[in-house]
Amino acid sequence: QAKRFGGDRVEPFRPAFRDGGSNIVQIEADLHRAIERDQISLVYQPIIAAKTGDIAGFEALMRWHHPRRGDVPPTEFIAIAERSELIGELGAHALEMAAAQLMEWETALPEMPVFVSVNVSAQQLVRRDFTNLVSGILARHPQRTHTLRIEITETSLMQNPEQNVRVLERVKALGVKLALDDFGTGYSSLSYLSRFPFDVLKIDRSFMRPISSGRDALLRSIIDMAHALGLSVVAEGVEDEDDRSVLAEMGADYLQGFITGQPLTPEDAATLIAQRNPIVAREEQAAE
Ligand code: C2E
Ligand code: MG
Ligand code: MG
Ligand code: MG
C-alpha cells in the first residue's frame, strides 16, 4: 500500500480530507514548496459581454500541478491553505501573477483592454497588510486602465463584516474593482450586501440549473435589483445557448461558463484576445 505513493508515477488526485491526517500534513508541506518549485499557475476563463459575445475579461483560476498527485483541484488545496498561514502567500502570488499578466497584455494588445478578476479569500482580506500588498503589486505592475479586479464570496465577507468593509473601501480607492462572488449561496440579502462597496455581482452557477419553475423570475429580480444598486452582473456557470439567450434578454451584463470556454493558459488567452472575434454569436447578426 505504502508503495503506491512512493514512486514517481502520477496518481489520480485523492481528496485530501478523506485521506489520513498525516497525508494532509504531507500535502500542506508540498504546498509550502509549490510556489518556489513553480507548480502554481493561473488559468483564465473568458467573461463575455452578454449582448455582443465580445471578450470583456477573464477570471484567473489557480492550478497546482503536483508532480505525483497530478492536478490538485483548487477547492481542495485552497481549503488546506486557508487552514494555515499559507493562503496569504498563495493569494499574494496569484495577485502578483495576474497583475503581471495584465500588464503584459496591455503592452502587447493596447487597443484591446480586458480585465482580470482574481479570487481572494477572507483570510487574505483580514491580514493587516492586505491593502499594502495590493498597492505594492500595482506599483510593480502599473495598470493603465485600472483593470485588476478582485472577487470575494459572500460567506467569507460575513466572517468579519465591519473590518471587511473598511479593507474593501481602501482597496477600491486604489482603483481595483470589486466583485461579489457566488451570490445566492449564502443567506444575505442584496440590501445587506449593498453596505459593501462592490461594483460587480456574480450570480452563482447553481442558479443555472433548471430546478424550479421560479428560476427565471428569481434571476430577473436579482439582475434588476443589482442594477438598481448600481452593480453590473456576471452570470456564472452559463453552459448552453438557452441560458445565454435567456440571460441576455434579462439584461445580465456579462456571462461566464463553459459556453465561454474552459479556463485557458495565458498564451491561449492572448491568442483569443488578439482574434477579436465574439465567442458566441452576436444577437444582431443572428437576427439579420
Ligand atoms: P469560483 O471562483 O466560483 O470559480 C468558478 C469555478 O467554476 C471554477 O472552478 C470554474 O472552472 C468552474 N466553472 C466555470 N464555468 C463553469 C460551468 O459552466 N459549469 C460548471 N459546472 N463549472 C464551471 P475551479 O477552477 O475548480 O475553482 C473552484 C473554486 O476555487 C473557485 O470558485 C474559487 O472559489 C476557488 N479558487 C480558484 N482559484 C483561486 C485563487 O486563486 N484564490 C482563491 N482564494 N480561491 C480560488
Ligand atoms: Mg470566483
Ligand atoms: Mg464563482
Ligand atoms: Mg465558487
Side-chain angles (χ1 to χ4, degrees):
Q1 272 292 62
K3 203 158 183 293
R4 286 194 62 205
F5 288 97
D8 277 319
R9 269 170 52 229
V10 174
E11 296 283 342
F13 181 74
R14 300 179 47 199
F17 298 131
R18 265 178 269 145
D19 286 350
S22 62
N23 222 335
I24 296 184
V25 173
Q26 186 56 55
I27 292 174
E28 204 181 305
D30 290 349
L31 195 50
H32 260 289
R33 290 182 288 261
I35 295 177
E36 65 196 51
R37 292 182 179 179
D38 210 18
Q39 296 165 359
I40 301 289
S41 59
L42 293 177
V43 288
Y44 295 87
Q45 185 175 41
I47 298 174
I48 63 171
K51 289 213 164 58
T52 63
D54 290 324
I55 297 173
F58 297 88
E59 177 173 358
L61 294 158
M62 206 186 284
R63 295 293 178 258
W64 178 20
H65 185 76
H66 189 287
R68 280 176 296 108
R69 293 171 184 273
D71 291 320
V72 186
T75 44
E76 299 276 345
F77 71 81
I78 296 288
I80 293 174
E82 282 176 344
R83 296 169 349 144
S84 68
E85 283 291 293
L86 256 179
I87 191 64
E89 204 189 326
L90 265 186
H93 188 54
L95 281 165
E96 189 90 42
M97 285 192 292
Q101 189 59 73
L102 254 177
M103 206 171 95
E104 191 186 311
W105 286 340
E106 277 190 351
T107 309
L109 307 157
E111 70 284 16
M112 284 164 276
V114 290
F115 64 78
V116 169
S117 194
V118 183
N119 292 282
V120 167
S121 74
Q123 287 85 336
Q124 278 177 269
L125 217 57
V126 297
R127 289 166 75 99
R128 196 162 296 150
D129 57 349
F130 186 73
T131 314
N132 290 339
L133 171 78
V134 175
S135 67
I137 286 171
L138 290 174
R140 281 193 295 283
H141 312 285
Q143 314 287 310
R144 263 200 300 275
T145 46
H146 292 324
T147 40
L148 188 68
R149 300 187 171 193
I150 64 176
E151 42 187 85
I152 302 132
T153 63
E154 172 188 346
T155 35
S156 65
L157 279 179
M158 294 311 149
Q159 292 171 24
N160 211 337
E162 312 301 331
Q163 187 185 348
N164 286 339
V165 169
R166 289 195 296 273
V167 175
L168 290 176
E169 275 165 356
R170 287 200 291 268
V171 171
K172 185 172 172 143
L174 296 172
V176 174
K177 287 237 165 64
L178 308 174
L180 176 63
D181 200 4
D182 298 354
F183 175 73
T185 54
Y187 299 96
S188 320
S189 66
L190 253 183
S191 63
Y192 179 76
L193 291 167
S194 70
R195 303 193 318 166
F196 296 90
F198 285 109
D199 305 285
V200 180
L201 180 138
K202 299 188 76 172
I203 302 177
D204 190 67
R205 67 167 181 264
S206 57
F207 284 93
M208 294 308 129
R209 275 185 247 121
I211 30 159
S212 73
S213 54
R215 181 195 83 154
D216 286 7
L218 202 54
L219 278 173
R220 198 181 290 275
S221 68
I222 292 170
I223 293 167
D224 289 348
M225 208 183 307
H227 285 162
L229 291 167
L231 302 170
S232 64
V233 173
V234 178
E236 300 189 83
V238 181
E239 295 183 356
D240 56 43
E241 175 53 31
D242 282 355
D243 289 347
R244 189 201 64 78
S245 59
V246 166
L247 287 159
E249 184 271 324
M250 286 176 180
D253 304 281
Y254 302 102
L255 309 178
Q256 177 184 357
F258 295 156
I259 195 170
T260 72
Q262 298 283 341
L264 304 167
T265 62
E267 296 72 30
D268 289 345
T271 305
L272 200 67
I273 301 168
Q275 281 169 353
R276 280 176 178 262
N277 289 323
I279 291 196
V280 296
R282 286 176 190 272
E283 286 274 276
E284 317 90 275
Q285 289 175 349
E288 273 161 19

